[in-house]
Amino acid sequence: QVQLVESGGGLVQAGGSLRLSCTASGVIFSAMAWYRQPPGNQRELVARTTSGRNTDYAASVKGRFTISRDSAKNTVYLQMNSLQPEDTAVYYCNGAAWLGGAWRDVWGQGTQVTVSS
């Protein structure tokens, strides 16, 4: 079964840190990414990493968040430092995989991150 399972969300005070994990199973993903959906807003890209380990970040998190990947564990991480209330959102893991003869987007179930002021 192809799936992504996130963990590590929670409640943290402004200025604090959290690390999100996303473990993949069933397939080796090419690019992987973290998205977030703040309350009442659309889902937005936070950070992504390719199979070649190139990384890309949203301007709002650059310098505070770090995406990394452990291929041996088939896991991608999002280290979030200096968290602010505006980082409050449901965070989703996303992976691109070749499935059934086409590239497919696979999504995790999401994990809630709440930053209190």
Side-chain angles (χ1 to χ4, degrees):
Q1 183 180 2
V2 176
Q3 62 178 352
L4 296 169
V5 179
E6 301 111 333
S7 62
L11 173 65
V12 64
Q13 288 188 330
S17 298
L18 283 174
R19 189 177 81 154
L20 305 182
S21 300
C22 172
T23 299
S25 60
V27 72
I28 300 297
F29 289 92
S30 176
M32 297 192 76
W34 287 96
Y35 286 74
R36 67 185 180 187
Q37 187 164 12
N41 287 283
Q42 292 184 337
R43 195 171 297 188
E44 60 186 18
L45 176 67
V46 176
R48 61 187 167 198
T49 179
T50 67
S51 56
R53 304 304 175 98
N54 293 320
T55 58
D56 190 24
Y57 296 92
S60 60
V61 308
K62 196 172 293 186
R64 299 188 298 124
F65 290 12
T66 302
I67 189 170
S68 61
R69 191 168 181 177
D70 186 334
S71 297
K73 297 181 179 179
N74 213 9
T75 298
V76 64
Y77 304 97
L78 185 68
Q79 177 67 42
M80 305 185 293
N81 299 327
S82 302
L83 283 160
Q84 299 301 317
E86 53 266 34
D87 295 315
T88 294
V90 178
Y91 283 71
Y92 295 92
C93 182
N94 167 269
W98 185 258
L99 296 168
W103 285 104
R104 309 284 183 185
D105 266 334
V106 178
W107 293 90
Q109 81 284 0
T111 185
Q112 177 70 47
V113 171
T114 303
V115 185
S116 63
S117 57

